[in-house]
Amino acid sequence: MDPVIIIGNGIAGISCARQLRKRSDVPICIVSEESPYFFARTALMYVYMGHMPKRDLYPYEKSFWKKNRLDRIQERVVEIRPEEKTIVFQSGKTQTYSRLVLALGSKARSLPLPGSDLQGVRGLYHWQDLEALEAHTPKLKQASIIGGGLIGVELAEMLHSRGIEVDFWVRESSFWNTVLPPEESAIINRHIESHGIRLHLNAQVQALQGDDEGAVSHVLTADGKEVPAQWVGATIGVEPNIEFLKQSSLETDRGILVNPYLETNWPDVYAIGDCAQQKNPPSHRRPIEAVWYTGRMMGETLALTLAGKKEAYRPGPWFNSAKFFDIEYQIYGQLSAQADPKNESQIFWQHPSAAKLIRWSFHPETRLFLGVNSLGIRLRHEYFHNHLLAGSTIDQVISGMQAAYFDPEFYPNYHPSILKTLNSY
Amino acid sequence: MTLSPQLYQRLGAASGLLGLLWSMLSIGTLGPSLGLMTVGVLLYSWGLYGPKGAGIQNNGVWHNALTNRGLWGWTLGLALTAFYVCIYWFPEVLGFGKETNTGVVALFDPLSYTLNGNRATQWFMYGTLYSFAIVVFGGKFLWKYRHNRYQIFRTLSVIFFQLIFAYWLPEFLAKMNPETPYFAKDLKNMWPLNYYFFDSWHLKNMLKGETLGLFFLIWGLLLIFVISPILTYAYGKRWYCSWVCGCGALAETAGDPFRQLSSTKISVWKLERWMIHLVLVLSLLTTIGLLWSFFGGKTGREIMSQQQFLGGTLIFLSICLVGIGVYKRNAWDRDTQYTLLSLGFLMLGSLAIHSFSDPRHILGLSAVKVQKWYGFGIGAAFSGVLGVGFYPILGSRVWCRFGCPMAAILGLQQRLFSRFRITTNGGQCISCGNCSTYCEMGIDVRSYAQRGENIVRSSCVGCGICSAVCPRGVLRLENDSPNNRLQEPIFPLGHLNSQKGTL
Ligand SMILES: Cc1cc2nc3c(=O)[nH]c(=O)nc-3n(C[C@H](O)[C@H](O)[C@H](O)COP(=O)(O)OP(=O)(O)OC[C@H]3O[C@@H](n4cnc5c(N)ncnc54)[C@H](O)[C@@H]3O)c2cc1C
Ligand code: SF4
């Protein structure tokens, strides 16, 4: 029997493979060019900063793959022939499949700037990106990061931890203010600067300048500054890694288009994770969600279908988290950076001195609870998940909040202060 | 002029080493040497944890040859091991003499006279240095985790118990009661961690030790049979292992820089389970044997006969066996089976001891030798040489993981009935692995967290570092009803049709 082939051994592909193996004996083969084993992309920064050894990137031991009969091939796939149910490797070899799962992930978007092909200008996504950065590190004195998102701030922390001066170029007027409301964003601005990062807001980078050897040497800004940088991190976002499929008959837009069953327009071919784009996403979700959790959920859902129990991908309430240097951030449900007062009211509590904040959003008329986000205070996922599913009101959510905190024991209890603030609204 | 962080670290290291050299050359008095070492640790920590501000301080841990099993790690490991070998087997090298002390040990004479009225022994020196290390490295740890109250309280607790209960009080009590024979006076050091508690000589000395001796005998029994089970039920084994215990105290303070070296491999976990439970069964059997021979002796016979002791032991073990069986009747897992099997084996063992031993020989082995070898193997070689000497190679909790019978008992209880667990925060885990890397007990925390499963492991000492280093706020140490502890993984995590268990 031809195997189920999964291209991509990221969280999406591996979640699918694991759950499929639990439910079925079909041969499974995982193809990926980047790494022989599944690794946690989310921990790349910790390896660079010396928190973790490289071997701890791998969530499963080597014996796991053998024990679960998950075959692995480390090679690049260059073509798919859906009529013949065949994939073609870079080496020219081919392999037929019974069903094919595309879990190709993303790649860093390249900078639309003159000089973006200079040596030392690079995103941070794949293992090889980290290797390149590591190899350059001994020579780096100053680095620039262009693009103020989650990977940008991680890269800033990484470089800074190795004693490299960092200029952080952000186009927006405040860090990540497309997602973070103004108070949150302001806290993070200050925090980034407090670590000695030079945060340039409203920044217009015009070009990158190289030296005689073709390596980047300076960042040129619209207002005429010339800032030295021997490394430029391109962190203006990621995009689905589907170049080799763009010319084929596979339906794509920014990502590979899928229906709720994660099926593509090719028979027996599915797409999951960062590379999948929902044709009709649920109202509370975006068509492409390039985060760990959705990859895992899609993989697990698809495994059910592949094992013969057809299951639609129906993500529950949105959740996510991040860490900006020392400040943890969590979000559950919907909460806008700039709330439209017709549909969304917000209330928030902020600690007078420490970087701690919680904000709730709800519907102004029905008082339906919409979402919550927090900085510096851990919140219990289950609590908000259940309230969001149950359609609770903001008042119900607030009255039970004592059960929602997830900080370690003995941490200060901010609940009385929070209630006081909320009552004054 | 401001000094760079690296300079602080270098100055600190230099000052610490100078202090060490000072005491090794035994110049003058102890004070300056300890002072130099304290200043050294403080300067070093200032340079290490000062500039970054409050938060997780693991930058460069795996780039540093001291903490990544590099050259400096091995050097320190060898030095520590040599030190232990001297203390246990060649105290004269350190200056401990038959009549008077010379060398390093002599430096501790004045302090020893003040505290207990006698000259220093190598053990007094060791106890002093041990407590000193817990205090100064405890200070370093407090500074490192200044943002985390759980860590602060926990560290203050281990420092307190070490200084007052383990170090000062026993010396003080000994000084106040110079007539009584020696018995252990550390209120928190319970059997079987105190492996000689039930040795004949120790029981006799306690019985001869008047009110104080009797108090320690009763306290010791209460501690292991009543107080500890209650506290472990309520808070998990952490109430002891990472809040009170002296071995834990050193591991959590001086050993903290090496916690990431504990292996998380599944094969090591297997080895750990076999070893620690074998040690437990062995130590229980030894204790039963020693007690049996005690009750055959003159002092013991007055309390109860060997038959009565055997009967009591068998009844106690059967109560445990039936109790666990009934309690776990609906959750009959491997751990329960092994526990019951071991209890059965112990009952057979007790019977065998009673049938095939005489007062001086337990199962054909000399009682005195059994005492000696157990003390040597478990007490010295394992807990000291391997346990601490190998901090920089095998991580800070080798002894607690593989060799401590106390940890084994508390662990069994933690696994079978306790309110303690580490709760996983829904679907927030990103599988980054910081929790597993920094688990000093080598628990692969990530393997549970990424499935949305709570962590209920017998070896978890509840240090709380996994929760501290997790960048996504996924882990929380909690005491709650034992019923919802072992919840099944949720699947698919965060999905609308998600269910408990595997759909
Ligand atoms: C530095 C960093 C930090 C992040 N932190 C977070 C976080 O904190 N939280 C969060 O939710 N998300 C985070 N993310 C995003 C998250 O890692 C991704 O959403 C997730 O890894 C996507 O998983 P995936 O399985 O879809 O794809 P990937 O992990 O990208 O795996 C796809 C694999 O397929 C391989 N592949 C692609 N095309 C081919 C081909 N033609 N032939 C062979 N192999 C191929 C790729 O090489 C890759 O190995 C982070 C990402 C980065 C880079
Ligand atoms: S629990 Fe936290 S530290 Fe552990 S793997 Fe998950 S996100 Fe990382």
Side-chain angles (χ1 to χ4, degrees):
Chain A
M1 193 170 115
D2 286 329
V4 171
I5 292 185
I6 300 172
I7 310 182
N9 64 358
I11 181 66
I14 293 306
S15 299
C16 181
R18 271 186 61 225
Q19 298 297 338
L20 179 57
R21 177 51 80 235
K22 278 195 183 166
R23 291 169 178 75
S24 152
D25 268 337
V26 291
I28 301 174
C29 176
I30 303 164
V31 182
S32 201
E33 61 166 335
E34 181 185 8
S35 153
Y37 299 99
F38 166 51
F39 73 95
R41 199 175 296 297
T42 46
L44 285 176
M45 66 181 295
Y46 299 110
V47 172
Y48 182 78
M49 297 198 298
H51 292 210
M52 289 169 56
K54 185 191 173 194
R55 63 171 179 275
D56 285 358
L57 279 180
Y58 304 102
Y60 302 99
E61 285 184 22
K62 288 185 179 147
S63 58
F64 174 88
W65 308 102
K66 216 171 169 173
K67 198 175 109 205
N68 288 292
R69 286 167 294 121
L70 299 170
D71 297 332
R72 295 165 301 103
I73 297 176
Q74 187 177 7
E75 214 183 316
R76 184 184 182 78
V77 176
V78 291
E79 193 192 341
I80 296 168
R81 298 181 187 145
E83 331 61 56
E84 300 158 34
K85 289 195 146 188
T86 299
I87 60 171
V88 184
F89 293 105
Q90 191 153 40
S91 61
K93 275 188 304 189
T94 60
Q95 164 75 48
T96 50
Y97 59 82
S98 59
R99 276 148 318 158
L100 179 66
V101 179
L102 302 173
L104 307 169
S106 306
K107 63 181 196 321
R109 275 173 53 197
S110 47
L111 295 169
L113 293 176
S116 63
D117 51 355
L118 288 164
Q119 221 192 76
V121 182
R122 197 158 179 159
L124 175 68
Y125 189 87
H126 291 110
W127 167 252
Q128 287 72 16
D129 296 327
L130 192 77
E131 271 186 327
L133 176 58
E134 185 65 61
H136 266 74
T137 297
K139 290 177 281 184
L140 301 183
K141 272 203 149 56
Q142 298 110 329
S144 270
I145 296 168
I146 302 179
L150 293 179
I151 298 184
V153 73
E154 282 188 7
L155 189 56
E157 183 177 357
M158 290 161 65
L159 292 163
H160 181 67
S161 79
R162 300 283 287 266
I164 298 157
E165 287 176 37
V166 178
D167 285 283
F168 193 6
W169 306 94
V170 174
R171 192 179 52 186
E172 293 78 22
S173 59
S174 182
F175 176 79
W176 214 38
N177 65 3
T178 48
V179 178
L180 294 178
E183 286 80 8
E184 282 86 327
S185 180
I187 290 176
I188 304 301
N189 288 342
R190 282 199 299 275
H191 186 66
I192 292 174
E193 284 175 340
S194 79
H195 279 269
I197 308 292
R198 291 189 287 266
L199 177 65
H200 308 274
L201 298 169
N202 295 311
Q204 295 285 339
V205 175
Q206 208 153 46
L208 305 176
Q209 202 174 53
D211 60 15
D212 301 340
E213 271 122 60
V216 70
S217 65
H218 287 85
V219 168
L220 310 182
T221 67
D223 51 0
K225 272 188 267 186
E226 249 183 67
V227 179
Q230 301 87 49
W231 185 267
V232 170
T235 57
I236 54 170
V238 297
E239 60 194 10
N241 186 12
I242 56 169
E243 222 72 78
F244 77 109
L245 295 166
K246 281 268 161 124
Q247 303 308 319
S248 69
S249 61
L250 185 68
E251 262 179 43
T252 60
D253 174 34
R254 281 187 299 135
I256 302 169
L257 290 169
V258 294
N259 66 16
Y261 294 97
L262 303 164
E263 294 165 331
T264 67
N265 65 314
W266 285 351
D268 291 323
V269 178
Y270 306 81
I272 54 176
D274 278 20
C275 70
Q277 179 176 349
Q278 301 286 330
K279 269 190 251 179
N280 300 301
S283 61
H284 63 293
R285 309 286 297 223
R286 282 166 293 131
I288 299 181
E289 293 173 338
V291 291
W292 191 260
Y293 318 104
T294 44
R296 187 174 64 202
M297 225 185 323
M298 285 190 208
E300 291 181 343
T301 312
L302 180 60
L304 295 177
T305 302
L306 295 179
K309 184 175 177 307
K310 198 161 174 175
E311 180 78 34
Y313 172 62
R314 294 169 57 210
W318 170 252
F319 65 95
N320 198 7
S321 59
K323 192 170 181 185
F324 310 102
F325 285 81
D326 300 311
I327 304 181
E328 289 175 21
Y329 160 78
Q330 295 185 332
I331 178 164
Y332 302 99
Q334 302 300 306
L335 191 146
S336 319
Q338 303 289 338
D340 170 2
K342 280 206 296 292
N343 314 317
E344 185 178 336
S345 294
Q346 294 186 347
I347 47 182
F348 73 95
W349 167 87
Q350 186 171 0
H351 191 279
S353 52
K356 295 182 189 294
L357 184 153
I358 307 181
R359 181 187 299 266
W360 298 258
S361 69
F362 57 97
H363 195 277
E365 273 142 42
T366 60
R367 297 188 70 77
L368 179 74
F369 171 60
L370 297 175
V372 63
N373 80 12
S374 72
L375 287 183
I377 291 188
R378 295 175 173 181
L379 298 175
R380 204 179 283 267
H381 187 175
E382 199 182 6
Y383 180 81
F384 296 105
H385 184 81
N386 291 343
H387 273 302
L388 286 163
L389 284 187
S392 304
T393 63
I394 179 71
D395 313 287
Q396 288 167 320
V397 170
I398 300 283
S399 73
M401 269 301 283
Q402 187 66 65
Y405 306 111
F406 204 71
D407 274 344
E409 293 153 299
F410 309 121
Y411 268 46
N413 178 8
Y414 298 114
H415 192 59
S417 153
I418 289 172
L419 281 187
K420 214 152 114 205
T421 311
L422 295 184
N423 287 337
S424 66
Y425 269 99
Chain B
M1 189 194 82
T2 52
L3 299 178
S4 78
Q6 284 79 12
L7 200 59
Y8 272 111
Q9 281 170 255
R10 293 217 181 102
L11 279 174
S15 164
L17 285 176
L18 194 67
L20 203 62
L21 196 71
W22 188 301
S23 67
M24 286 210 293
L25 296 177
S26 324
I27 312 169
T29 57
L30 189 59
S33 155
L34 295 189
L36 276 173
M37 288 197 259
T38 309
V39 169
V41 172
L42 291 181
L43 280 178
Y44 190 83
S45 339
W46 186 258
L48 202 57
Y49 309 137
K52 212 201 135 260
I56 294 306
Q57 307 279 358
N58 289 333
N59 286 348
V61 165
W62 285 91
H63 299 152
N64 183 336
L66 184 63
T67 51
N68 71 0
R69 232 179 254 131
L71 183 65
W72 288 114
W74 280 97
T75 310
L76 180 64
L78 283 178
L80 281 172
T81 308
F83 177 66
Y84 270 93
V85 169
C86 286
I87 289 189
Y88 278 105
W89 296 293
F90 307 103
E92 61 280 2
V93 175
L94 300 168
F96 179 66
K98 281 216 170 60
E99 307 287 313
T100 52
N101 294 330
T102 53
V104 197
V105 179
L107 283 184
F108 292 78
D109 278 340
L111 187 61
S112 186
Y113 279 118
T114 321
L115 285 176
N116 60 32
N118 297 313
R119 74 182 167 107
T121 61
Q122 84 269 34
W123 296 116
F124 178 82
M125 173 196 79
Y126 177 56
T128 307
L129 286 177
Y130 195 100
S131 306
F132 173 74
I134 289 173
V135 174
V136 293
F137 288 108
K140 172 169 176 272
F141 188 88
L142 285 170
W143 175 234
K144 179 176 181 184
Y145 281 103
R146 56 194 183 272
H147 62 290
N148 187 317
R149 284 224 202 154
Y150 182 77
Q151 299 307 332
I152 292 173
F153 288 6
R154 195 171 63 75
T155 306
L156 291 175
S157 167
V158 289
I159 293 178
F160 170 79
F161 277 103
Q162 177 61 31
L163 271 188
I164 305 302
F165 280 54
Y167 186 65
W168 174 74
L169 198 60
E171 303 286 357
F172 176 73
L173 289 175
K175 194 176 176 185
M176 299 315 279
N177 300 273
E179 304 304 313
T180 52
Y182 172 81
F183 52 87
K185 298 181 189 65
D186 179 351
L187 278 166
K188 62 171 182 48
N189 190 9
M190 71 182 120
W191 174 86
L193 182 57
N194 175 359
Y195 52 88
Y196 57 73
F197 188 82
F198 287 120
D199 283 7
S200 303
W201 65 265
H202 191 248
L203 287 173
K204 277 183 210 151
N205 285 1
M206 281 196 286
L207 289 170
K208 278 189 244 153
E210 297 168 14
T211 328
L212 192 68
L214 219 57
F215 168 76
F216 269 93
L217 179 60
I218 294 171
W219 172 254
L221 291 171
L222 272 181
L223 202 53
I224 182 65
F225 290 112
V226 182
I227 300 173
S228 158
I230 294 175
L231 288 175
T232 309
Y233 175 77
Y235 305 112
K237 87 200 239 188
R238 56 183 171 149
W239 80 266
Y240 195 70
C241 296
S242 66
W243 281 74
V244 171
C245 175
C247 303
L250 193 71
E252 295 292 344
T253 52
D256 171 69
F258 309 109
R259 56 171 55 247
Q260 68 284 354
L261 301 175
S262 309
S263 168
T264 40
K265 282 204 192 122
I266 296 172
S267 52
V268 177
W269 181 20
K270 277 201 182 127
L271 178 74
E272 167 195 319
R273 273 182 300 181
W274 276 106
M275 274 188 74
I276 191 164
H277 293 121
L278 271 178
V279 169
L280 175 62
V281 170
L282 209 76
S283 87
L284 290 177
L285 207 62
T286 316
T287 304
I288 292 173
L290 291 174
L291 273 172
W292 182 86
S293 85
F294 170 73
F295 288 116
K298 211 172 76 205
T299 328
R301 243 177 310 190
E302 288 166 17
I303 302 170
M304 65 170 104
S305 71
Q306 286 176 312
Q307 279 82 3
Q308 284 168 328
F309 171 68
L310 177 76
T313 307
L314 290 179
I315 292 173
F316 177 76
L317 291 173
S318 348
I319 292 176
C320 291
L321 201 139
V322 174
I324 294 174
V326 171
Y327 184 84
K328 283 274 145 184
R329 65 193 177 281
N330 298 324
W332 196 259
D333 52 12
R334 269 286 254 313
D335 297 349
T336 316
Q337 288 169 15
Y338 276 118
T339 310
L340 297 187
L341 265 176
S342 311
L343 283 169
F345 174 78
L346 279 176
M347 292 170 76
L348 286 179
S350 319
L351 276 172
I353 288 174
H354 189 64
S355 319
F356 304 111
S357 309
D358 61 61
R360 289 180 184 286
H361 294 84
I362 301 167
L363 293 176
L365 302 166
S366 138
V368 176
K369 278 219 174 110
V370 169
Q371 260 169 35
K372 257 206 168 135
W373 279 101
Y374 184 76
F376 166 79
I378 302 297
F382 214 142
S383 69
V385 179
L386 213 78
V388 179
F390 281 50
Y391 270 5
I393 310 302
L394 299 175
S396 49
R397 287 273 193 177
V398 187
W399 156 250
C400 315
R401 249 184 115 177
F402 299 96
C404 175
M406 184 79 237
I409 294 187
L410 296 176
L412 274 174
Q413 203 200 322
Q414 169 159 290
R415 174 89 188 132
L416 295 175
F417 32 81
S418 167
R419 290 150 39 87
F420 174 71
R421 88 292 310 271
I422 302 176
T423 303
T424 291
N425 199 8
Q428 286 283 23
C429 175
I430 52 168
S431 298
C432 72
N434 276 289
C435 51
S436 300
T437 302
Y438 286 92
C439 178
E440 56 186 347
M441 294 304 281
I443 299 173
D444 190 0
V445 183
R446 162 169 64 187
S447 68
Y448 302 84
Q450 66 190 356
R451 287 183 288 179
E453 214 178 329
N454 288 349
I455 295 103
V456 178
R457 276 278 291 269
S458 49
S459 60
C460 173
V461 292
C463 69
I465 294 294
C466 58
S467 160
V469 298
C470 173
R472 292 295 177 270
V474 177
L475 304 164
R476 184 169 197 270
L477 281 59
E478 290 188 314
N479 315 307
D480 200 346
S481 156
N483 300 324
N484 63 4
R485 210 160 64 120
L486 280 164
Q487 104 287 32
E488 299 226 40
I490 303 162
F491 177 86
L493 266 173
H495 199 255
L496 270 186
N497 316 7
S498 72
Q499 301 189 1
K500 299 230 159 157
T502 39
L503 213 69

